Amino acid sequence: MSFKTEINRRRTFGIISHPDAGKTTLTEKLLLFGGAIQEAGAVKSNKIKKGATSDFMEIERQRGISVATSVLAFEYNGIKINILDTPGHKDFAEDTFRTLTAVDSVIVVIDVAKGVEEQTEKLVEVCRMRNIPMIVFINKLDREGKDAFDLLDEVEQKLGLKVTPLSFPIGMGYEFKGIYNIWEKNVNLFRGDSKQHVNDTIEISDLNSEELDHLVGDKAAQTLREEIELVEGIYPEFNKDNYLNGDLQPVFFGSALNNFGVRELLDCFIEIAPKPRPKQSEERLVKPEEEKFTGFVFKIHANMDPNHRNRLAFIKIVSGEFKRNTPYLHVRHNKKLKFSSPNAFFAEKKEIVDISYPGDIVGLQDTGNFKIGDTLTEGEIINYKGVPSFSPEHFRYINNADPMKAKQLYKGIDQLMDEGVAQLFTLDYNGRKVIGTVGALQYEVIQYRLEHEYGAKCTYENLNVHKACWVETDNEKSDEYKDFLRVKQRYLARDKQNQLVFLADSMFSLQMTQQKYPSITFHMTSEFK
């Protein structure tokens, strides 16, 4: 196949939602269609020994939540699909924001009973800022939930989207009969037993035919006719260009656990979803069709295999072909690196690939060369805009609980911080280490991984800090700046890049400091240069 064909048959997307709306379940069902797994391990009940194929860290199995973004790929109807399954839990939001820089489109999963939840709002806002095309999937229709029209209104108001349904439920919950597929004009009947297998559909081109009454009963058929008439009256017709520009969002209904409505979503997705898109770098816009390879690191995962200390850097390919054993330029270090075993993913199975194309995600063995946001090219100096570090919301001192293992502890902290799990600050006046995270659950993850992957024990101590602000000044020799350093010395720290950070203990003290030292700027994210 030619290079152009390879690009055109790739689709890379992320799945986002509030925890428990069913992202991981949907991911598994999509893999089922791609023939990538033979049976789906139900994610919900933790009694099942198998666990979901896409959650492979021990802590994920215990809690039944996804902690790290996983990368899965499969082929369907000649299209190569790369899925990034993100954690929904807000404590891991940063990982999810990073993942969004690497996807071309997004599927938003919404729970029919709970409607739009806060985490969904935050993530969708990030997608809207970047104009990422979105498809909405309303999940769990086999349970009692909100009325379809109310849900569509809620999605429009709370998420600020403009929607048009491409499938519509016939009944709901206990009376759930099936789905009418507006996109392909057919009816898909629901039989609550076939959870693991794929259902058959019945073509109905004319909603007024009597066949519909036989299939779902008179009452349901009548309601459906009225509802579809309403849908056609209220919502705009689907227009592919509007969808690709992020101005129109198609909506599908279904039940991922029962594998229902998933095929419709997938068929429509491969038809309308965007091919790999150009990406803006600080120097210029890079198009996927370019001959020369460029790509960037959006995630680093340490110790994917507990028996070997290894790190994988996940790279999204933006342009050109990535070939095995070819030297590429690491822009930040300005040195050439060669990779003998680039990995392509399928949950726990990794395969070594010789050539990867734009849109693909490749895992590279890393010995500590990469940081999140690094760029690899064939020689041109290109920097893709990284993902900023957000100001953490929780702060704790980290202490070594086992003096014999100090070396392991520091090595562990160092590697986990490179992975972007949390941020490390070192206090200026006594050199104590402070860990800042976006969510409290991350402290547990860090403690757990230090013990199991590095054999080091740590304890935490609370620290009263409201926000961490990155400090910037035009004149480091000014008296005002020196006075700031003297007065606030107890609150100053350095981050991993050795940038100066001010740890404000309350909103009030931050405002007072800003008024007192007008020439100094305080930034909420680390990317202000």
Side-chain angles (χ1 to χ4, degrees), residues 27-177:
T27 309
E28 298 238 303
K29 291 311 194 284
L30 291 171
L31 293 174
L32 199 59
F33 282 107
I37 46 180
Q38 266 54 59
E39 62 172 311
V43 196
K44 192 69 188 153
S45 88
N46 299 342
K47 295 188 191 74
I48 296 185
K49 292 198 180 62
K50 201 163 171 294
T53 354
S54 44
D55 291 357
F56 56 85
M57 249 157 66
E58 192 57 33
I59 196 159
E60 302 186 300
R61 296 212 175 101
Q62 291 169 2
R63 295 272 178 114
I65 58 172
S66 306
V67 175
T69 302
S70 56
V71 181
L72 307 152
F74 65 94
E75 296 248 348
Y76 179 77
N77 290 357
I79 297 281
K80 174 153 192 283
I81 298 181
N82 299 309
I83 305 182
L84 298 164
D85 178 20
T86 64
H89 218 281
K90 75 164 183 296
D91 294 7
F92 307 103
E94 224 170 305
D95 195 38
T96 307
F97 288 141
R98 275 192 212 114
T99 306
L100 289 176
T101 56
V103 300
D104 298 311
S105 67
V106 160
I107 292 182
V108 185
V109 185
I110 291 175
D111 180 332
V112 68
K114 297 183 183 144
V116 175
E117 297 168 90
E118 59 161 344
Q119 204 47 38
T120 324
E121 290 182 43
K122 280 192 190 153
L123 293 167
V124 167
E125 200 179 325
V126 177
C127 296
R128 276 179 45 218
M129 273 164 30
R130 301 213 160 95
N131 289 333
I132 303 177
M134 288 179 260
I135 294 180
V136 180
F137 182 69
I138 294 183
N139 192 13
K140 306 195 180 178
L141 277 197
D142 51 321
R143 304 190 182 174
E144 294 296 329
K146 303 187 178 183
D147 172 71
F149 287 108
D150 292 349
L151 269 170
L152 292 171
D153 284 349
E154 194 175 324
V155 169
E156 293 213 296
Q157 285 159 7
K158 283 199 180 166
L159 301 179
L161 303 181
K162 193 153 182 46
V163 300
T164 177
L166 291 188
S167 74
F168 210 81
I170 307 173
M172 181 177 289
Y174 187 62
E175 293 179 355
F176 183 50
K177 297 280 198 317

Side-chain angles (χ1 to χ4, degrees), residues 232-456:
E232 285 167 357
I234 308 176
Y235 295 104
E237 255 187 68
F238 178 72
N239 171 322
K240 192 168 169 181
D241 294 340
N242 292 354
Y243 155 72
L244 290 177
N245 297 333
D247 297 331
L248 183 67
Q249 285 76 24
V251 180
F252 285 88
F253 290 84
S255 157
L257 187 64
N258 294 314
N259 204 348
F260 196 74
V262 179
R263 192 192 57 78
E264 286 77 354
L265 173 72
L266 190 56
D267 285 347
C268 175
F269 174 82
I270 59 176
E271 216 169 303
I272 65 173
K275 303 187 281 278
R277 308 166 89 183
K279 190 165 170 69
Q280 187 63 50
S281 67
E282 287 174 22
E283 291 72 17
R284 62 189 185 84
L285 187 70
V286 181
K287 297 200 172 72
E289 301 79 52
E290 294 177 20
E291 306 249 309
K292 298 215 154 135
F293 161 77
T294 67
F296 66 98
V297 178
F298 68 92
K299 174 182 167 56
I300 292 174
H301 201 326
N303 310 319
M304 292 197 58
D305 177 350
N307 309 327
H308 304 284
R309 290 250 171 283
N310 62 353
R311 286 176 29 161
L312 270 184
F314 288 76
I315 293 215
K316 160 87 190 271
I317 299 172
V318 182
S319 67
E321 296 176 1
F322 178 82
K323 298 192 182 76
R324 186 176 155 191
N325 283 330
T326 310
Y328 290 116
L329 176 71
H330 181 315
V331 174
R332 187 170 53 92
H333 285 184
N334 196 14
K335 64 178 188 202
K336 294 261 178 158
L337 300 172
K338 230 160 126 164
F339 303 97
S340 58
S341 54
N343 288 312
F345 297 95
F346 163 68
E348 286 174 335
K349 303 186 200 54
K350 298 191 303 229
E351 295 153 11
I352 290 178
V353 280
D354 290 328
I355 296 188
S356 305
Y357 297 94
D360 283 344
I361 309 280
V362 186
L364 303 179
Q365 298 292 337
D366 174 29
T367 47
N369 292 319
F370 289 117
K371 276 202 321 222
I372 287 173
D374 277 350
T375 309
L376 277 178
T377 68
E378 282 192 29
E380 187 182 352
I381 303 291
I382 285 184
N383 289 290
Y384 286 112
K385 288 204 166 43
V387 187
S389 297
F390 298 92
S391 172
E393 321 234 321
H394 302 262
F395 298 86
R396 293 184 192 174
Y397 286 119
I398 181 164
N399 300 323
N400 186 3
D402 179 355
M404 304 297 287
K405 292 280 175 76
K407 196 173 151 201
Q408 283 89 328
L409 180 75
Y410 288 118
K411 184 180 168 195
I413 294 178
D414 204 48
Q415 292 199 351
L416 290 178
M417 297 304 139
D418 274 350
E419 208 182 295
V421 178
Q423 292 172 55
L424 183 69
F425 303 106
T426 310
L427 288 182
D428 268 7
Y429 78 103
N430 62 3
R432 284 189 74 178
K433 304 253 184 272
V434 172
I435 287 187
T437 67
V438 182
L441 198 58
Q442 265 152 320
Y443 290 109
E444 270 183 63
V445 173
I446 293 170
Q447 197 166 19
Y448 179 89
R449 291 185 59 182
L450 282 173
E451 194 170 330
H452 287 78
E453 295 171 15
Y454 298 91

Side-chain angles (χ1 to χ4, degrees), residues 223-238:
T223 319
L224 178 68
R225 288 179 189 129
E226 287 163 12
E227 291 187 325
I228 295 297
E229 205 173 303
L230 251 176
V231 167
E232 285 167 357
I234 308 176
Y235 295 104
E237 255 187 68
F238 178 72

